[in-house]
């Protein structure tokens, strides 16, 4: 079975721009969670989607949003980028909410 | 609220020595506990998980962890370190009412000396 895939793997943007990151879960997985990883804050939960519905949300500003499609693929969007948004964004998929999460390789975002 | 504390941001061991990475958690409900490993420029790989079955959990690559409720701990061990074990290790907690939300510790970087 193919693992979780994330595109693009690397991204450079400038302040004020917006960005969309994509995540394709493992086949059959219906839950997708997103995390931000930075050296200072570590790994922080952004949000979780299950069957196209956001079921859980972390403590991030409204500039961070996401969605999930009927095929379980998910996107996250960050608007009005700030320098502090530079991070590794990790997506994880699971069969359900309490099931083990399997992570993708991440998208490394650099905001200049 | 749930939280995880990993004691020691950096641990260094010699090849062949015991690996012990410490994790303490806080949770008001029965927790699910996880250890993940991250190699440079990669995502997280699951090593093992505890979900209220056996308190001693065996994982991949010879790692194991013991859930101790009285000590609120879930320390990760490996009897004999290998050079390929050098990586960053994360302990995480979740619970049945948290859905897909993992709370991670700050991570412990493991170095293995030849």
């Amino acid at each position: 079975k193919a693992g979780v895939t994330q595109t693009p793997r690397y991204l450079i943007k400038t302040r004020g721009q917006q960005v969309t990151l994509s995540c394709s879960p493992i086949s059959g997985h219906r839950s997708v969670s997103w995390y931000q990883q930075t050296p200072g804050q570590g790994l922080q939960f952004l949000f979780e989607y299950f069957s196209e519905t956001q079921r859980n949300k972390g403590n991030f500003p409204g500039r961070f949003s996401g969605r999930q499609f009927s095929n379980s693929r998910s996107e996250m969007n960050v608007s009005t980028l700030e320098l502090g948004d530079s991070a590794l964004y990790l997506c994880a998929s699971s069969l359900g909410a309490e099931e083990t999460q399997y992570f993708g390789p991440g998208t490394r975002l650099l905001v200049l | 609220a749930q939280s995880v504390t990993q004691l020691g941001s950096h641990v260094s061991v010699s090849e062949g020595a015991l690996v012990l990475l410490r994790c303490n958690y806080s949770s008001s409900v029965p927790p699910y506990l996880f250890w993940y490993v991250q190699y440079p420029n990669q995502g997280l790989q699951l090593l093992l998980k505890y979900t209220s079955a056996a308190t001693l959990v065996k994982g991949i690559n010879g790692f194991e962890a013991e859930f101790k409720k009285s000590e609120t701990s879930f320390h990760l061990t490996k009897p004999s370190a290998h050079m390929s074990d050098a990586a960053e290790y994360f302990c995480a907690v979740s619970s049945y009412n948290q859905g897909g939300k993992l709370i991670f510790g700050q991570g412990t970087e493991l170095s293995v000396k030849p």
Side-chain angles (χ1 to χ4, degrees), chain A residues 29-67:
Chain A
H29 285 193
R30 297 170 64 189
S31 173
V32 173
S33 297
W34 288 89
Y35 296 85
Q36 181 196 64
Q37 185 177 24
T38 60
Q41 299 299 315
L43 281 154
Q44 294 185 287
F45 173 79
L46 280 156
F47 28 64
E48 185 243 350
Y49 286 86
F50 183 85
S51 294
E52 303 179 65
T53 300
Q54 185 182 92
R55 294 198 303 184
N56 213 338
K57 190 178 191 310
N59 190 25
F60 278 81
R63 299 185 298 106
F64 291 82
S65 63
R67 59 177 176 170

Side-chain angles (χ1 to χ4, degrees), chain B residues 16-30:
Chain B
L18 171 71
V19 175
L20 170 60
L21 304 183
R22 300 178 187 272
C23 171
N24 287 89
Y25 70 92
S26 171
S27 179
S28 58
V29 296

Side-chain angles (χ1 to χ4, degrees), chain A residues 5-105:
Chain A
T5 58
Q6 292 187 244
T7 57
R9 291 292 311 277
Y10 303 93
L11 207 49
I12 299 176
K13 292 287 187 179
T14 56
R15 278 180 299 173
Q17 288 186 308
Q18 76 166 25
V19 67
T20 299
L21 312 182
S22 180
C23 172
S24 292
I26 292 171
S27 178
H29 285 193
R30 297 170 64 189
S31 173
V32 173
S33 297
W34 288 89
Y35 296 85
Q36 181 196 64
Q37 185 177 24
T38 60
Q41 299 299 315
L43 281 154
Q44 294 185 287
F45 173 79
L46 280 156
F47 28 64
E48 185 243 350
Y49 286 86
F50 183 85
S51 294
E52 303 179 65
T53 300
Q54 185 182 92
R55 294 198 303 184
N56 213 338
K57 190 178 191 310
N59 190 25
F60 278 81
R63 299 185 298 106
F64 291 82
S65 63
R67 59 177 176 170
Q68 187 180 33
F69 302 95
S70 58
N71 62 357
S72 294
R73 190 177 70 85
S74 178
E75 290 181 345
M76 68 163 281
N77 184 275
V78 188
S79 62
T80 320
L81 283 165
E82 301 177 359
L83 295 179
D85 297 333
S86 295
L88 179 67
Y89 290 89
L90 292 164
C91 163
S93 77
S94 63
L95 286 169
E98 285 85 40
E99 302 293 330
T100 299
Q101 293 185 29
Y102 296 90
F103 284 78

Side-chain angles (χ1 to χ4, degrees), chain B residues 58-90:
Chain B
K58 294 188 182 299
I60 62 171
N61 301 337
F63 285 95
E64 63 181 37
E66 186 173 8
F67 172 70
K68 292 187 176 180
K69 184 177 179 181
S70 60
E71 299 176 9
T72 60
S73 68
F74 191 57
H75 303 329
L76 181 71
T77 60
K78 181 174 180 178
S80 177
H82 192 272
M83 296 296 291
S84 61
D85 294 328
E88 187 147 24
Y89 292 79
F90 293 93

